[in-house]
Each structure stands twice: as structure tokens, then as C-alpha cells.
Amino acid sequence: MVDNALVPNSPLLTSPGAVTAPDGSADIGVAWHYGDPLGEQRTAQRAAVVVDRSHRFVIAIPGDERLTWLHTISSQHIAALPDGKSAENLSLDVNGRVEHHFVQTDLAGVTWIDTEADRGPDLLTFLKKMVFWSKAEPRDGNELAVLSLVGPESPAVLSAIGVQTPTDAYDALALADGGFVRRMPWPTEDSFDLLVPREQLAVWWTKLTDAGAKPAGSWAFEALRVEARRPRLGLDTDERTIPHEVHWIGGPAEHGAVHLDKGCYRGQETVARVHNLGKPPRHLVMLHLDGSAEAVPEPGDPITAGGRAVGRVGTVVNHHELGPIALALIKRNIPVDTELMAGPSAASIDPDSIVADDAPQAGREAVNRLRGK
């Protein structure tokens, strides 16, 4: 079970129709849905919804050297991140395995980081330990809370409440009463995070719903995220996951979290070796699950083929069009048409979820030239 004790339960759980997430969910503390989870997904794709994600853990890092310092201990190239820009980033262990995934925004002399509720305290502790002599001061930033606005009518909703719409993915603009609005490239093309003062969370919720955004729960957000094949740390990853497996490679322009042309950082050797010489042992795919099965799999359940373990189940969700679907990490050599069992359910790989990884590798080509191939 996820412990969100350091991020309080949202006051929006008292909103009409709000249903709390089930025990053990990664989204305890915010609404799971408001009575019509599939309808909420449809509205997100056709109009606009607002999702309470105030259980995200927020960290603030002021200090003149905050960006150059963070650049040296994380996977993204953010040493010169401009004011009003954002990026996705990772903290890796010495073997290149993912420990933390976070979104960071630099605005008015402060870097704001938001991450998973259960991982936030550990990330904050790590950052504090790594400061040494740098001019950077990581601290709890949970005075801000996250709301997500999703759907093609989102810009109109923002305009109706006097908020300027960021133009490009990862752009951020300050809000008049504190906090900021940030454009995100997922779970849909029209997605925005508003980091607002926590004491004004209900005020902002009312503003957005009065302007036409319909309330939606974490179920709707997760369904769109799975459809977009965007991984979530702790659900779609395990203790062995490396960035290549879940398609987190790339700079901000590629909507990635690992820049391949930057200086040394913890775990870089593994990242470079896999990129230049090898292939990741597993890859992230989307599964279609048997809707007639008596039970659905849980995150972490084994995926088998012919009785042999070939992967693990990640996020499982019921989608308004696709039915029961899941993200999964499976061995790269498993053919796309393989009949699978995901826990108690038959499953098949969505062929459109396979990301081609057959680009030439500089290191491998160099080795082949030395061998005369």
C-alpha cells in the first residue's frame, strides 16, 4: 500500500460524486472518479476535464547554482534550462537503474520538481545529501499542489479564467496569485499542469469547473496515460528497470528524460553502453486483456508465454474504447503475436505499441569495422 502521509488527502474528496481510490492504489488521497469514469475519459478526449493530482510530491530548489548542480546528478541536460521551461528527468543508481522520475520547471529563480507521492521524500533526502558546497537549497515545496487540465477545449478554459496558455510542450508561465501553468506533451496533446498554492486548491478547482472543465478522476487520467504508452514509476517499472526499456531516452525536444549528449552522471555508463553497443533486455508495450476473465491482473503480476515467465504487468485500467488494457515490460525477443497470460487474464500485445529500436549503433558499427565486417 502506498503511504502518502507526507502529502495530505485532498480537500476535493468532499466534492459532489467524488469516489476515493481503492486501497493500495498509487492515487490514494485524490478522487478515483466522479461516478462516470468512462464518460470522464470521453470528455477528456472531446472537451476538457480537470483532474486532482494534488497528491504529487513537490520540491522547491532555489539557489544560483541549482541548475548546474542538478545537471551533474541527473540524466537530463538542464544546466542552461531557460526561465519558464520544463523537462522530464531521472535519478539513476550506479548501475543505471531508475530510482526517481520527475518533472522540473525553472521559473523566477526557483526549480520546482513534482514526483510520485511515495518517492518524493526519498528524492528530497537524496538531493539534500548531494548539495555539498553548491549554491542550491532543496526543500519541501508542497505549498504548491498539482491540478491537470486535459482536453482540446483546455486553452478555452484557461482563457476564460484569464490564464495565458503556454504555447509549446514544457513551457511554463507564472500565475498571478502564485504557482504556474505548464504545458505537457501527455497524456494528450492538449494537457496542462497547474501548480497552484495548496491553500487555494478548492478555489482553482471551482474556477476551472465554472469555466467549463468537467471533474475527472485519476482513473480517467491513467487510462489516457496508458493509451499514450507513458510509463509511471513504481507501476510500470521495477527495481531492475533501465531508461531504455520504458522509452525515457531523449532530451526535452523528444519528450524524453535522458539526454545522450551530456557530461558524467551516476548511471551514465550503463546508458551509454546500451545505447552504443547493446539492446535493453525488456521493452514497454501495451497489452489488450481478455475482458471475459474472472479477474484482472495486478501491477507486478507475471506475464507468461507457454508457462514461461517473459515479463511483468504494469498499470491496468479499463479504457472507454479499448476495454481492459495494461502496460507491461516484456522480453524484447517475444514475437508480437505470442499468446500471453497476464496474471489470471489472457493477453495480447498491441502491435502499434512496439517502438522500433533497429537504428545503427555507433559503438557496434565501430566494433564491426575492427572485426572487418
Side-chain angles (χ1 to χ4, degrees):
M1 182 180 296
V2 176
D3 181 6
N4 291 358
L6 295 181
V7 180
N9 283 349
S10 173
L12 299 178
L13 280 172
T14 61
S15 300
V19 176
T20 189
D23 289 346
S25 168
D27 294 313
I28 288 289
V30 296
W32 190 31
H33 61 83
Y34 292 85
D36 185 11
L38 301 185
E40 292 164 20
Q41 295 173 37
R42 288 189 287 269
T43 301
Q45 292 187 322
R46 300 171 184 172
V49 301
V50 57
V51 183
D52 180 8
R53 300 176 70 222
S54 61
H55 58 324
R56 297 275 291 172
F57 192 95
V58 181
I59 296 170
I61 311 176
D64 292 344
E65 296 175 345
R66 64 193 180 280
L67 289 175
T68 53
W69 162 75
L70 189 58
H71 179 87
T72 65
I73 60 172
S74 62
S75 63
Q76 189 56 276
H77 199 303
I78 44 87
L81 189 70
D83 184 72
K85 294 292 185 178
S86 308
E88 295 183 54
N89 207 341
L90 303 177
S91 175
L92 307 177
D93 70 10
V94 294
N95 295 309
R97 295 166 180 152
V98 181
E99 290 189 335
H100 299 283
H101 170 263
F102 52 93
V103 185
Q104 67 176 95
T105 298
D106 202 70
L107 194 66
V110 178
T111 290
W112 296 93
I113 283 174
D114 59 286
T115 189
E116 297 292 339
D118 62 331
R119 303 295 183 109
D122 285 344
L123 177 58
L124 179 57
T125 297
F126 168 73
L127 293 174
K128 287 181 175 180
K129 287 180 178 178
M130 296 301 294
V131 170
F132 301 113
W133 55 83
S134 298
K135 294 178 181 178
E137 303 172 8
R139 63 169 179 82
D140 185 325
N142 281 307
E143 69 265 22
L144 296 186
V146 182
L147 294 173
S148 290
L149 187 65
V150 180
E153 294 182 5
S154 295
V157 171
L158 292 174
S159 178
I161 60 174
V163 173
Q164 186 178 352
T165 303
T167 303
D168 298 321
Y170 302 122
D171 281 0
L173 297 168
L175 297 171
D177 296 327
F180 56 91
V181 57
R182 172 180 69 206
R183 188 165 200 145
M184 292 295 292
W186 57 272
T188 73
E189 293 181 358
D190 300 292
S191 297
F192 301 85
D193 290 337
L194 290 89
L195 279 81
V196 303
R198 189 170 292 275
E199 71 272 11
Q200 297 180 27
L201 186 64
V203 173
W204 276 97
W205 181 265
T206 300
K207 282 184 183 180
L208 293 165
T209 54
D210 285 351
K214 303 299 183 185
S218 60
W219 181 337
F221 190 91
E222 290 294 273
L224 298 175
R225 178 182 65 80
V226 171
E227 182 185 14
R229 300 186 289 280
R230 299 293 303 201
R232 184 172 178 183
L233 189 74
L235 287 176
D236 306 308
T237 66
D238 58 18
E239 69 282 353
R240 297 184 293 118
T241 301
I242 61 175
H244 307 73
E245 294 180 317
V246 290
H247 316 311
W248 266 331
I249 301 297
E254 294 81 35
H255 305 164
V258 179
H259 201 291
L260 293 172
D261 298 316
K262 62 162 290 188
C264 184
Y265 58 92
R266 190 173 67 169
Q268 183 194 26
E269 182 179 351
T270 297
V271 170
R273 184 171 63 250
V274 174
H275 177 69
N276 288 301
L277 293 171
K279 300 290 184 183
R282 303 174 297 177
H283 61 170
L284 187 76
V285 300
M286 189 174 79
L287 301 180
H288 294 275
L289 304 175
D290 180 4
S292 65
E294 294 184 359
V296 296
E298 298 285 342
D301 278 356
I303 297 171
T304 59
R308 178 172 60 97
V310 296
R312 72 177 295 278
V313 176
T315 306
V316 180
V317 69
N318 202 29
H319 188 278
H320 73 102
E321 288 183 336
L322 302 175
I325 55 176
L327 291 179
L329 276 173
I330 66 167
K331 293 182 178 180
R332 285 184 55 256
N333 60 356
I334 299 300
V336 68
D337 58 353
T338 303
E339 295 182 358
L340 302 173
M341 289 296 297
S345 174
S348 60
I349 300 171
D350 186 320
D352 292 336
S353 70
I354 301 295
V355 177
D357 62 351
D358 54 359
Q361 295 174 286
R364 182 59 59 193
E365 289 183 334
V367 170
N368 289 338
R369 285 195 297 270
L370 288 172
R371 293 175 176 173
K373 294 183 180 180

